[in-house]
Amino acid sequence: MTGSRLALVCFHLMLLAYPGYAMAFGLDDVADKARALAGEKYQKPEAAPDFLKNLSYSDYQSIRFKSEQSLWRADESRFQAMMVPRGNVYSNAVQLNVINGKGVGPVEFDKSRFEYPSQELAKRIPADLGYAGFRLTYPLSGGEARNQFLVFAGASYFRGVGAGQTFGLSGRGIAVDTGLPSGEEFPAFTEFWMERPSTDSKSMVVYGLLDGPSLTGAYRFDIHPGKSLKMDVTAKLFFRNDIELLGQAPLTSMFYYGENTLRPTGEWRPQVHDSDGLLIHDGKSGEWLWRPLVNPTQLERNYYHVEDLKGFGLLQRDRQFAEFQDNEARYDRRPSMWVTPRGGEGAGWGEGEVVLVEIPTRAETNDNIVAFFKPRRSVKSGETLELSYSVTAGEPGITEQPNGRAVRTFVGAASDDSTLRFIVDFKGGELTGIKPDATVVSQASGGDGTEVIEHFVEYVEASDVWRLSMLAKTAPGKRLALRGALKMDGKPVTETWTYILTPGTGLLGKSQ
């Protein structure tokens, strides 16, 4: 054997012995499975036994994974994985696998990895029940503690946080017909493959297989935890059926009420929401569009056209405890989530619409907000689509937005009880440090049927903001659509604030 061949053999033996090395397995392997699956008839996954599906939320939460059973715990790896039990809304089983130097192997179900609230429940757990998903941990706070920062569980949902944050809104693999009268489909991740990270690794890779009535998909997630969580996502989708409304990179959140809405009867907290607005960046026009969220009286679906999408996300700009006063939920620590497309129209992006779906809710337990990108071209049965994008979770600054931002929106009835006063406070960007007598100019316009009666801007020293005040009205029974921004020297110095208000909010009496 020559010296070069001997060196090559030794190199391969070394890789096999190294626990963090992943054997040849990648997105193409998952895509082969997804492509073959798309050619078969969709099979609905088997649900968990009724006694598990019928567990109350609190009873389900009392099933605890034993942290000492975490994957890669014995190696003291920076990354560790904890399994999610089936039950309550997490009914479907998900096959988990690990990729390491020995190849690809399953993570076998073992109910002894969990602590159950009673021996009676523990006895009823089938030995082959399977897991509902997994949680990843990482030492975000320093030291030896492992912090949960990313969870894959339930349909195609995943939740992530940056350092010091609490879980809030979710991302999803894909959305199908969200908000349409025909009803929404919920494709689900049915199998995951986790590349075993090296002990001191600062990133890891996860693959996912998606299956649903109208499509299948193969996903690769390159995961980078830290002050902000960043995931680079690559996906290959295969369509069984035509889809009327395809939602790329969907985000799901909760908005119950806020500073721009009436407080529900009996509620003492100032605000209750995981996110307070949708932000969109169109690269062609350069515009940054901010849309405060509302809890409508009927389902609302709004489309925001973009010629060259550079990013969109659901943000939680309210960051002070005093704005919520909830010591348990800590909505002030909920993350924002920002989607950045990678690649042009050939990669599934480019021109299209960012869709915002708002669903009425009477409780904070319901996720009633969905935002996603709708491509210009519809998809047909037998077609494929490749997507490449990044999802970042963290503080609102993850957007790297350069201009002034709307930090507060207030709405109230004017003195004559037939019009509404809108107050929008802007801060940051080019507004920072300018003199109170600077020539900042207000700009406001109304949509079809909305009349802007007046608008002006003033500097508020007490809170160091530039306040845009607008008086607007609309015909009885019509929805109000309003836009506003600030300019200086003829150029925009803030994002464009936009607002939709539907009848029945109670701000102008019962009819309005």
Side-chain angles (χ1 to χ4, degrees):
M1 180 179 294
T2 66
S4 59
R5 292 191 63 185
L6 178 61
L8 184 61
V9 170
C10 291
F11 175 71
H12 284 296
L13 289 174
M14 178 187 69
L15 290 177
L16 289 172
Y18 180 56
Y21 174 73
M23 292 291 287
F25 182 92
L27 183 61
D28 288 342
D29 297 283
V30 186
D32 288 343
K33 290 177 175 286
R35 186 183 296 106
L37 196 60
E40 302 173 1
K41 184 179 179 180
Y42 173 69
Q43 298 291 328
K44 187 176 180 180
E46 183 178 351
D50 286 345
F51 77 92
L52 286 173
K53 287 197 301 180
N54 296 332
L55 284 176
S56 67
Y57 177 78
S58 59
D59 286 342
Y60 172 76
Q61 290 295 318
S62 64
I63 303 175
R64 304 283 186 176
F65 182 83
K66 300 174 182 177
S67 59
E68 63 270 17
Q69 293 288 332
S70 298
L71 296 182
W72 316 308
R73 177 90 168 193
D75 300 329
E76 298 184 351
S77 173
R78 295 170 69 87
F79 285 95
Q80 296 178 16
M82 307 170 69
M83 276 58 82
V84 175
R86 294 176 71 185
N88 195 256
V89 298
Y90 301 112
S91 179
N92 298 343
V94 177
Q95 175 61 51
L96 302 181
N97 305 280
V98 170
I99 310 166
N100 58 26
K102 297 180 181 179
V104 179
V107 179
E108 301 291 354
F109 177 73
D110 183 351
K111 68 179 185 179
S112 68
R113 285 176 160 160
F114 298 95
E115 292 180 354
Y116 298 93
S118 67
Q119 286 296 323
E120 180 181 354
L121 178 61
K123 286 191 303 183
R124 301 180 68 185
I125 301 298
D128 60 349
L129 179 65
Y131 302 112
F134 63 96
R135 305 172 185 268
L136 293 178
T137 64
Y138 189 83
L140 293 178
S141 55
E144 298 181 358
R146 297 296 188 274
N147 309 104
Q148 295 183 28
F149 74 93
L150 182 60
V151 183
F152 282 92
S156 68
Y157 286 86
F158 56 86
R159 294 190 297 160
V161 295
Q165 296 187 320
T166 59
F167 287 105
L169 80 168
S170 303
R172 277 196 272 171
I174 203 73
V176 178
D177 293 342
T178 304
L180 295 185
S182 58
E184 181 175 3
E185 290 183 12
F186 289 93
F189 286 119
T190 59
E191 190 167 6
F192 287 103
W193 294 261
M194 296 175 278
E195 282 192 6
R196 182 176 182 174
S198 60
T199 302
D200 59 351
S201 179
K202 296 182 180 180
S203 64
M204 70 172 292
V205 175
V206 170
Y207 298 95
L209 176 65
L210 184 85
D211 191 18
S214 295
L215 82 168
T216 66
Y219 286 75
R220 173 182 168 124
F221 300 91
D222 289 82
I223 300 166
H224 309 269
K227 182 179 180 181
S228 299
L229 164 66
K230 183 179 180 181
M231 292 200 299
D232 295 322
V233 184
T234 306
K236 297 182 179 182
L237 303 175
F238 306 88
F239 296 95
R240 285 190 174 105
N241 303 319
D242 299 350
I243 294 180
E244 181 178 353
L245 181 58
L246 180 71
Q248 297 176 190
L251 306 176
T252 300
S253 191
M254 179 275 294
F255 183 92
Y256 184 24
Y257 62 94
E259 63 201 9
N260 58 313
T261 69
L262 295 176
R263 186 183 301 177
T265 302
E267 280 288 353
W268 60 270
R269 295 168 294 178
Q271 301 185 80
V272 174
H273 51 74
D274 284 334
S275 305
D276 55 9
L278 167 69
L279 184 67
I280 303 168
H281 184 204
D282 187 343
K284 185 69 175 292
S285 66
E287 182 180 56
W288 292 78
L289 185 75
W290 173 251
R291 163 64 151 80
L293 300 177
V294 297
N295 182 0
T297 56
Q298 58 187 15
L299 186 145
E300 282 287 320
R301 195 170 61 247
N302 292 283
Y303 296 78
Y304 299 94
H305 181 264
V306 289
E307 295 190 37
D308 180 21
L309 181 69
K310 292 300 183 184
F312 77 95
L314 293 173
L315 308 187
Q316 182 76 317
R317 284 183 171 173
D318 291 331
R319 311 305 299 161
Q320 301 300 317
F321 176 78
E323 295 172 302
F324 301 96
Q325 294 291 346
D326 194 322
N327 195 41
E328 181 178 355
R330 294 310 302 265
Y331 291 113
D332 55 302
R333 293 181 179 174
R334 301 295 168 104
S336 299
M337 198 168 283
W338 184 247
V339 174
T340 306
R342 293 185 292 148
E345 189 174 359
W349 300 92
E351 185 178 1
E353 295 166 308
V354 176
V355 182
L356 175 64
V357 180
E358 296 169 302
I359 305 168
T361 183
R362 294 184 177 181
E364 63 195 279
T365 53
N366 300 320
D367 284 342
N368 64 320
I369 304 295
V370 187
F372 53 84
F373 179 75
K374 175 186 178 295
R376 180 181 60 181
R377 189 177 67 85
S378 60
V379 293
K380 303 295 182 181
S381 171
E383 293 184 342
T384 62
L385 177 66
E386 295 188 11
L387 297 175
S388 182
Y389 58 97
S390 296
V391 180
T392 306
E395 295 296 319
I398 57 178
T399 64
E400 298 183 353
Q401 180 185 356
N403 51 13
R405 295 168 287 283
V407 295
R408 279 180 292 275
T409 297
F410 299 107
V411 186
S415 57
D416 63 0
D417 204 33
S418 64
T419 57
L420 287 173
R421 174 69 68 183
F422 292 84
I423 302 293
V424 185
D425 288 347
F426 289 97
K427 192 172 186 176
E430 294 183 50
L431 295 175
T432 304
I434 65 173
K435 296 180 179 180
D437 60 353
T439 54
V440 179
V441 178
S442 64
Q443 184 180 34
S445 61
D448 185 30
T450 298
E451 177 188 0
V452 178
I453 300 172
E454 70 171 23
H455 61 89
F456 60 89
V457 61
E458 61 180 335
Y459 176 71
V460 181
E461 183 179 5
S463 52
D464 188 27
V465 298
W466 288 85
R467 175 164 292 176
L468 170 60
S469 179
M470 295 166 285
L471 193 63
K473 67 184 301 182
T474 189
K478 300 292 184 180
R479 76 175 193 168
L480 181 144
L482 198 60
R483 289 167 63 95
L486 300 183
K487 287 187 172 184
M488 192 165 57
D489 298 327
K491 298 179 181 179
V493 291
T494 67
E495 63 194 8
T496 300
W497 170 94
T498 186
Y499 205 75
I500 301 292
L501 196 61
T502 55
T505 62
L507 287 168
L508 287 177
K510 294 182 180 179
S511 65
Q512 294 288 294

